[in-house]
Amino acid sequence: MKSIFTKTTGLSDRPFHYCPGCTHGIIHRLIGELLEEMNLIENTIGVAPVGCSGFCENYFMCDMIGAAHGRAVAVATGAKRARPDRFVFTYQGDGDGASIGLAETMSAAARGERITSIFVNNCIYGMTGGQMAPTSLVGQKTSTSPYGRDAMTMGYPLDLPKVLTQIEGAVYVASVSVDTPQAIKEAKKALRKAFQVQRDGLGYSFVSILSTCPTNWGVTPVEALEWLQTKMKPNFTLGELKVPATEGGSEA
Amino acid sequence: MALLMKGNEAIAEAAIQAGCRLFYGYPITPSTEIPEYMAKKMKAVGGTYLQAESEVAAIYMVYGAGAVGERVMTGTSSPGFSLMQEGLSFLFAAEIPCVIIDVMRGGPGLGGLGPTQADYFQLTKGGGHGDYHAIVLAPSSVQEMVDLTKEAFDLADYYRNLVIIAVDGILGQMMEPVEFPPYEGRKLEPKTWAASGAEGRSKNNVISYYLTPEIGEKENSRWGAKMLRIKESEQRFVEYRMDDAEYAFVAFGTCARITETVVDMLREEGINVGLYRPITLWPFPEKGLSARINQIKGWMSIELSAGQMVDDVKLVVNGKAPVGFYGRQGGMTPEPEEVVAAFKAQLLGGVQG
């Protein structure tokens, strides 16, 4: 019998702790598959964030370092500078990368750190139970914006990948989603390119992935995908936003 | 051959000689010569100097490099040291060895650029959250800055614990003759725990996170046992004219240098005093001080602060003798005459001498 699908060796056998309908699991699988396909598992140092994915060190089969909230990119910088021969990635949520760790993200991009950040944006703080995120949409109700995010007092969602395209040292910036099989394929392609950019020593690579949080959005898993498609997508720039000069562009 | 070097530069050179090849830092007076020296010298030895965007980032870069098993250091001054406190707590919990230099300057707030020792509580009681301790070394000369810096890396690796070298701004800035003798280090185990890439072995996680209280308590107990081991083995101090002393000063760093003069002045007046100088601020050298308890009629702590180490002296003396205090703050240092007068007023009732 021909085997057409097996679980990747990039992931452990430990069951995910994620809620039903959350897309962290899909994103983990894509990373695990790429670590395996690109023969990186033994060569990789991953950095786990604080947030729902704060236990991802238990899932990836590479060496992992657990960072403080917002500091994953600084930790990854320290590790990569210590071991430039290693493949180093961060896995972060929107609060980690775009709020408390914004300075670290921007500064690592400015320095062109040879690391890859995977930024999972679900417009909410999942682990603490549904508070407003830097990416929460205007009008979005959360436990700390119970009347909806008011732009006049709480500001606007930050489109971090779009901002990063303005930074010289960020050489590959993509903004993708995992809401359909086609989107998952595109996301994997973007991640593969981001990984390759690091292996080629070109600079900082960043992949934003729109993700769902049915639990804290208060919807079913199916409704969550619809919410992502109808509400989130219009608010965030999507696509390959910046590719290396070797691919015909260094500009945003 | 002796070289004439600034304290900050001597620390940086000693670190390189101890095998430190990674320095992450952010410039701040009066410690800036450390990053400057590293920026200049690391290249020649194949190491890396990286200027971080903040002290917050710097301490987590240290965390990342330490987690992969490399010797790494940062250097800062008080306000920058404050910014690093969260990181120190994480470094402790993840048991990542590293060396941190705090060249103390006036505070609180932005304070001033003059020397103080007012980070003592932050250094020794844990400025970050949770039950943790750094090993804190307090040299009082440029030579001792060299010797202790070299040893600090061994201590950090041996105990898998952060080590802080605490100096006041005077020591960081002053020039003294210094030698770099060959250093025979401790026997150290290979860092099999490091997250350096799982080549030919099962994967490693370096983390500080658990959500199961039972595991949390177990981990804290294990760390507590390590702290006890360090307390047992690493207390260090130096005594000056203590053998026949009836009264004793306690002072570290620059204050100890000033207090040596004070001791000599009082001895000339026929008052038998001595100096007990802690080299480890944590663990506080209780054993040596305890050994003198029955001999000493009165103690006095001399500090560049409002009185912080004096609390530790009182804990050890435990009411068996009076404990005085004299200090200057805000970047000022005491004249020996002031200390003599304070000693007489507080411990001799102002009647003798």
Side-chain angles (χ1 to χ4, degrees), chain A residues 5-16 29 33 36:
Chain A
F5 184 82
T6 54
K7 196 174 167 226
T8 171
T9 57
L11 291 177
S12 71
D13 290 333
R14 192 136 158 182
F16 290 144
R29 174 165 62 80
E33 285 174 358
E36 181 187 357

Side-chain angles (χ1 to χ4, degrees), chain A residues 57 63-64 66 78 86 111, chain B residues 53 63 196 201 203-204 206:
Chain A
E57 73 272 4
D63 275 6
M64 294 289 294
R86 294 309 193 201
R111 288 191 304 266
Chain B
E53 61 269 30
Y63 182 101
S196 54
R201 59 158 168 78
K203 80 183 222 92
N204 285 337
V206 177

Side-chain angles (χ1 to χ4, degrees), chain B residues 260-274:
Chain B
E260 277 190 19
T261 308
V262 172
V263 167
D264 293 344
M265 285 165 70
L266 286 164
R267 287 250 173 197
E268 272 179 34
E269 293 185 37
I271 303 166
N272 287 339
V273 295

Side-chain angles (χ1 to χ4, degrees), chain A residues 130-149:
Chain A
Q131 293 77 32
M132 189 176 74
T135 49
S136 288
L137 307 181
V138 172
Q140 186 182 339
K141 284 184 181 169
T142 71
S143 68
T144 52
S145 58
Y147 309 106
R149 183 174 190 166

Side-chain angles (χ1 to χ4, degrees), chain A residues 42 44-45 54-55 57-58 60-66 68 71 74-75 77-79 81-83 86 103-104 107 111 113 127, chain B residues 22 24 50 53 56-57 60-61 63-65 67-68 70 86 90 194-201 203-207 209 211:
Chain A
E42 292 192 342
T44 294
I45 301 164
F55 296 104
E57 73 272 4
N58 295 318
F60 295 117
M61 285 305 285
C62 55
D63 275 6
M64 294 289 294
I65 305 172
R71 311 294 167 235
V75 171
T77 298
R81 296 292 184 122
R83 291 297 302 266
R86 294 309 193 201
E104 281 78 3
S107 301
R111 288 191 304 266
E113 292 295 340
M127 183 169 225
Chain B
L22 294 149
Y24 306 105
L50 180 62
E53 61 269 30
V56 176
Y60 283 102
M61 290 175 185
Y63 182 101
V68 308
E70 300 297 317
E86 179 208 42
F90 275 73
S196 54
E199 239 166 338
R201 59 158 168 78
K203 80 183 222 92
N204 285 337
N205 289 335
V206 177
I207 56 170
Y209 198 27
L211 285 186

Side-chain angles (χ1 to χ4, degrees), chain B residues 13-331:
Chain B
E13 177 58 33
I16 291 172
Q17 291 194 17
C20 171
R21 291 292 177 271
L22 294 149
F23 183 93
Y24 306 105
Y26 189 87
I28 179 169
T29 308
S31 64
T32 306
E33 293 84 2
I34 303 174
E36 283 176 345
Y37 192 91
M38 290 301 198
K40 199 183 284 178
K41 298 283 175 162
M42 273 299 192
K43 205 168 180 169
V45 295
T48 297
Y49 163 81
L50 180 62
Q51 189 155 318
E53 61 269 30
S54 68
E55 287 89 348
V56 176
I59 198 67
Y60 283 102
M61 290 175 185
V62 167
Y63 182 101
V68 308
E70 300 297 317
R71 285 199 157 177
V72 58
M73 183 171 105
T74 187
T76 188
S77 290
S78 306
F81 187 62
S82 287
L83 280 173
M84 294 182 177
Q85 296 307 308
E86 179 208 42
L88 304 191
S89 173
F90 275 73
L91 283 160
F92 176 86
E95 295 184 271
I96 295 172
C98 64
V99 175
I100 297 143
I101 315 296
D102 180 21
V103 185
M104 292 178 272
R105 71 182 231 186
L110 193 53
L113 306 180
T116 72
Q117 298 173 327
D119 296 356
Y120 182 90
F121 282 153
Q122 201 179 24
L123 287 159
T124 60
K125 312 297 179 193
H129 57 285
D131 286 315
Y132 80 93
H133 281 290
I135 297 171
V136 184
L137 306 173
S140 75
S141 68
V142 177
Q143 184 62 55
E144 206 175 16
M145 288 164 93
V146 166
D147 300 340
L148 289 178
T149 299
K150 288 188 177 181
E151 213 185 333
F153 284 94
D154 273 12
L155 282 169
D157 284 342
Y158 186 80
Y159 288 107
R160 276 189 69 182
N161 207 77
L162 62 155
V163 178
I164 304 171
I165 298 173
V167 299
D168 54 74
I170 291 180
L171 284 165
Q173 294 296 316
M174 78 179 181
M175 294 182 90
E176 283 189 315
V178 66
E179 289 185 352
F180 291 86
Y183 172 70
E184 203 176 312
R186 290 187 189 222
K187 196 169 177 290
L188 298 166
E189 301 292 323
K191 296 178 181 177
T192 52
W193 50 267
S196 54
E199 239 166 338
R201 59 158 168 78
S202 56
K203 80 183 222 92
N204 285 337
N205 289 335
V206 177
I207 56 170
S208 71
Y209 198 27
Y210 41 79
L211 285 186
T212 313
E214 287 79 3
I215 297 175
E217 186 175 55
K218 217 173 123 201
E219 287 293 85
N220 271 282
S221 300
R222 190 168 61 75
W223 297 325
K226 181 164 85 173
M227 294 298 96
L228 281 178
R229 272 203 314 281
I230 295 172
K231 258 185 156 172
E232 193 52 43
S233 313
E234 303 300 339
Q235 293 185 21
R236 287 178 215 190
F237 59 93
V238 167
E239 293 184 323
Y240 179 67
R241 303 183 83 166
M242 282 291 285
D243 282 349
D244 61 342
E246 293 174 77
Y247 296 91
F249 291 101
V250 186
F252 65 96
T254 290
C255 271
R257 304 273 291 258
I258 296 167
T259 307
E260 277 190 19
T261 308
V262 172
V263 167
D264 293 344
M265 285 165 70
L266 286 164
R267 287 250 173 197
E268 272 179 34
E269 293 185 37
I271 303 166
N272 287 339
V273 295
L275 167 65
Y276 185 85
R277 174 167 79 86
I279 293 173
T280 49
L281 301 185
W282 199 93
F284 187 73
E286 303 166 354
K287 290 191 215 171
L289 207 147
S290 292
R292 297 287 184 190
I293 288 286
N294 293 329
Q295 172 193 338
I296 300 300
K297 289 197 280 192
W299 298 84
M300 189 166 196
S301 186
I302 310 300
E303 306 174 44
L304 303 180
S305 74
Q308 300 190 12
M309 182 178 67
V310 64
D311 286 4
D312 284 332
V313 177
K314 283 179 180 171
L315 279 172
V316 181
V317 174
N318 201 16
K320 294 190 180 101
V323 178
F325 166 76
Y326 186 74
R328 295 290 296 269
Q329 291 174 267

